[in-house]
Amino acid sequence: MRVEAEGAAEVVERNRAEPRGLVRLACPTTLLNSWVGPMLSRYMLRYPLVELYIESTNRRVDLLHEGFDIALRVRFPPLENTDMVMKVLGASTQCLVGPPDHLASLPAGFQPEDLGRLPSLHWGGTQRDYQWELLQDEARLVIPHRPRMVTDDLLALRNAALAGVGIAHLPRVSVREELADGRLVEMLPGWTPRCGIVHAIFPSRRGLLPSVRTLIDFLAEEFSQSDMA
């Protein structure tokens, strides 16, 4: 009983203490470069005793075996089951875009399935079948396609779409300027892919160090105010 009481007191004291020490974080490269990087700078200015180790990677890290405190991920529903605790940080609206001449090459009155015959690009890893799943209210549309390029790098994908290589499924916030000035157009207005879910994965809520707990809460607040929201 004494040991348990001392352990409980230690947890309370840790939660009251000022955040300090090293936090190990894994984050997808594009998410880090476009949004999370500046957030982490603001966090470190607020909490000067915290140190960060940040791994910029698109691979799936093993938190327990690799010693990470937090992993940020962007996934599409349904999310896979995991033994980790998950905190949703935000939603990433998606769109299917391409260069204007690709849309102009389609005949009048074309069917949505005709998009699958145009050159395409794929965001993610290699797989057996490639398809776009698009939603409009309660309707669902699946368009098979054969990509000319497959990559997990959003910047490379966006640049290829801008160069006219093919149609791409991209986060809307990453191409908002290109859509606004007409360098890219939505290939099927009114139909959109599922929203991506930006979330943090961590081993347990119990006994989180103040530095880890405050970083998770800080990122949630930052994402709620970001342009991704």
Side-chain angles (χ1 to χ4, degrees):
M1 291 177 61
R2 182 173 64 250
V3 170
E4 290 181 357
E6 290 173 351
E10 182 182 352
V11 169
V12 171
E13 184 60 31
R14 286 166 61 186
N15 287 336
R16 289 177 176 173
E18 181 179 0
R20 66 177 64 230
L22 178 65
V23 179
R24 291 170 55 86
L25 171 75
C27 183
T29 302
T30 302
L31 189 68
L32 178 65
N33 292 340
S34 300
W35 292 280
V36 175
M39 296 178 185
L40 295 177
S41 296
R42 290 190 287 272
Y43 173 81
M44 296 188 74
L45 290 173
R46 180 178 296 184
Y47 299 104
L49 299 181
V50 175
E51 303 168 2
L52 294 181
Y53 169 80
I54 306 162
E55 181 165 324
S56 172
T57 178
N58 294 322
R59 69 181 180 86
R60 189 184 192 86
V61 300
D62 186 323
L63 277 77
L64 295 180
H65 289 91
E66 298 183 55
F68 285 100
D69 298 295
I70 309 169
L72 301 186
R73 294 175 179 169
V74 183
R75 297 287 186 271
F76 295 91
L79 297 180
E80 71 280 5
N81 292 326
T82 175
D83 294 332
M84 301 288 107
V85 180
M86 182 183 77
K87 183 178 180 65
V88 174
L89 302 176
S92 175
T93 306
Q94 309 290 305
C95 55
L96 190 66
V97 299
D101 57 350
H102 277 48
L103 189 60
S105 69
L106 292 168
F110 74 93
Q111 297 299 311
E113 293 77 9
D114 294 335
L115 291 178
R117 296 200 295 268
L118 296 178
S120 66
L121 313 166
H122 178 70
W123 172 27
T126 57
Q127 56 196 56
R128 183 186 298 271
D129 299 311
Y130 297 90
Q131 60 186 28
W132 295 308
E133 181 185 8
L134 305 175
L135 306 174
Q136 185 183 72
D137 298 325
E138 298 299 321
R140 176 176 175 268
L141 182 64
V142 176
I143 304 175
H145 66 100
R146 183 177 179 181
R148 294 191 61 202
M149 184 177 82
V150 177
T151 178
D152 62 358
D153 188 304
L154 280 178
L155 181 59
L157 199 69
R158 185 187 67 180
N159 289 342
L162 282 170
V165 176
I167 300 171
H169 163 196
L170 287 164
R172 182 176 295 275
V173 70
S174 71
V175 290
R176 58 186 176 183
E177 294 180 3
E178 291 79 4
L179 288 171
D181 61 24
R183 285 179 289 163
L184 291 174
V185 296
E186 290 197 62
M187 300 303 295
L188 208 59
W191 291 87
T192 57
R194 293 183 185 275
C195 282
I197 299 176
V198 184
H199 55 287
I201 298 289
F202 48 99
S204 172
R205 294 185 189 277
R206 184 177 181 182
L208 280 180
L209 291 170
S211 54
V212 176
R213 176 171 45 79
T214 55
L215 178 54
I216 294 169
D217 293 342
F218 184 89
L219 289 174
E221 178 63 24
E222 287 276 321
F223 268 102
S224 71
Q225 301 175 13
S226 73
D227 53 10
M228 184 176 283

